[in-house]
Amino acid sequence: MMLARRLLRLRPHLGAPPLPPSTPTRLLPSPTYISDMRRSAFIDRLLRSVRSEISFLNNSTPPPPPPPPASFAVEDRPGEQWARLRRAFPAADGEEEEVRVDATLVDGALPPTRSGADTGGPPRLHITVKVEVSKAARPGVALNFECSAWPDEMEVQKVFPVRRGGPAPVQQYVGRQFSELDEEMQSAVRDCLEQRGINDDLAAFLHAYMENKEHAELIRWMKNVEYHIKK
């Protein structure tokens, strides 16, 4: 009994050992927070770069192209790498022909001289052109011409007929290269195309038109990139 009373008297003095003095807790940013900061800085930098490029492009628009020659009507293809031109042509037999021209953006270049020797001048830019001539009275067949449009010249590569409205051959025979044909036939084909407006003037127009289209498509692409970055 006496031992119990002594323990009761000593209880206020007994207890757990004193805790060491506390130090202030130092909070460190979480890896997720750091990652979000880096991502935000990257997006801001990318947006600034894209907007700067858009501003530069808006202030450096090339001169507008001239009207299309030979009464061609232009069908632009926004967001695509080509454009289409159409015109009607009264053929000698009284049947009206449709002349359709599909042209790409600039898709190649050569040194400024035909021999391949680089003289230090600007390269000769190349546009692929596909011409289709058809008649309403014969909707199942058309005559195709594969051409190269240089800044000052329309050059024929191939001539071949095609079927329309049905299954096309997997690998159609398209004849020889145009340069391998008889000279008289080459001259007749050039005359045929010249009458229908497929000539050097059209080549020059396509280069001016495609320069503007390339510029417009680049701005459109930049704005699409900006839109998706902001989302």
Side-chain angles (χ1 to χ4, degrees):
M1 181 65 71
M2 292 179 63
L3 180 59
R5 289 176 179 174
R6 288 187 64 187
L7 288 173
L8 287 173
R9 286 198 299 269
L10 291 173
R11 178 173 291 176
H13 305 285
L14 299 175
L19 294 172
S22 60
T23 57
T25 304
R26 185 177 180 183
L27 298 177
L28 297 176
S30 68
T32 302
Y33 176 76
I34 295 174
S35 178
D36 289 343
M37 286 185 61
R38 288 175 177 170
R39 187 179 300 111
S40 177
F42 168 76
I43 290 174
D44 289 345
R45 181 182 177 188
L46 185 54
L47 277 174
R48 287 196 304 271
S49 176
V50 169
R51 287 166 179 166
S52 174
E53 188 67 20
I54 292 173
S55 177
F56 172 78
L57 290 170
N58 283 330
N59 293 324
S60 58
T61 304
S71 303
F72 276 105
V74 181
E75 301 174 9
D76 193 17
R77 300 280 172 158
E80 299 189 29
Q81 299 188 62
W82 64 290
R84 173 169 289 171
L85 290 75
R86 294 180 188 268
R87 68 162 297 194
F89 178 75
D93 57 6
E95 294 184 37
E96 188 173 80
E97 296 178 347
E98 182 191 45
V99 182
R100 192 182 75 187
V101 179
D102 292 335
T104 66
L105 294 174
V106 172
D107 57 2
L110 285 178
T113 60
R114 286 274 184 142
S115 63
D118 190 349
T119 60
R124 300 182 76 236
L125 302 179
H126 176 270
I127 291 175
T128 297
V129 177
K130 296 186 176 182
V131 181
E132 181 182 279
V133 179
S134 60
K135 295 182 180 182
R138 301 183 63 193
V141 66
L143 194 58
N144 273 19
F145 304 83
E146 291 187 357
C147 304
S148 291
W150 304 99
D152 56 354
E153 179 186 10
M154 184 71 74
E155 187 177 62
V156 185
Q157 302 293 340
K158 280 186 175 294
V159 183
F160 55 94
V162 293
R163 290 187 302 180
R164 303 176 69 190
V170 176
Q171 290 185 327
Q172 179 180 346
Y173 177 73
V174 295
R176 296 179 176 179
Q177 288 290 330
F178 182 74
S179 59
E180 298 174 358
L181 299 177
D182 179 83
E183 289 186 6
E184 185 176 351
M185 185 174 182
Q186 291 185 39
S187 177
V189 169
R190 291 194 187 97
D191 288 345
C192 173
L193 289 175
E194 178 74 35
Q195 292 174 7
R196 288 155 182 78
I198 313 301
N199 51 29
D200 297 347
D201 290 340
L202 180 62
F205 166 79
L206 288 175
H207 276 267
Y209 183 86
M210 289 306 177
E211 182 182 1
N212 276 265
K213 180 173 173 62
E214 175 80 40
H215 189 88
E217 294 298 344
L218 184 54
I219 291 176
R220 182 181 290 110
W221 177 79
M222 285 283 183
K223 289 183 176 179
N224 286 335
V225 171
E226 178 191 23
Y227 172 77
H228 287 286
I229 292 173
K230 292 191 299 184
K231 289 186 66 176

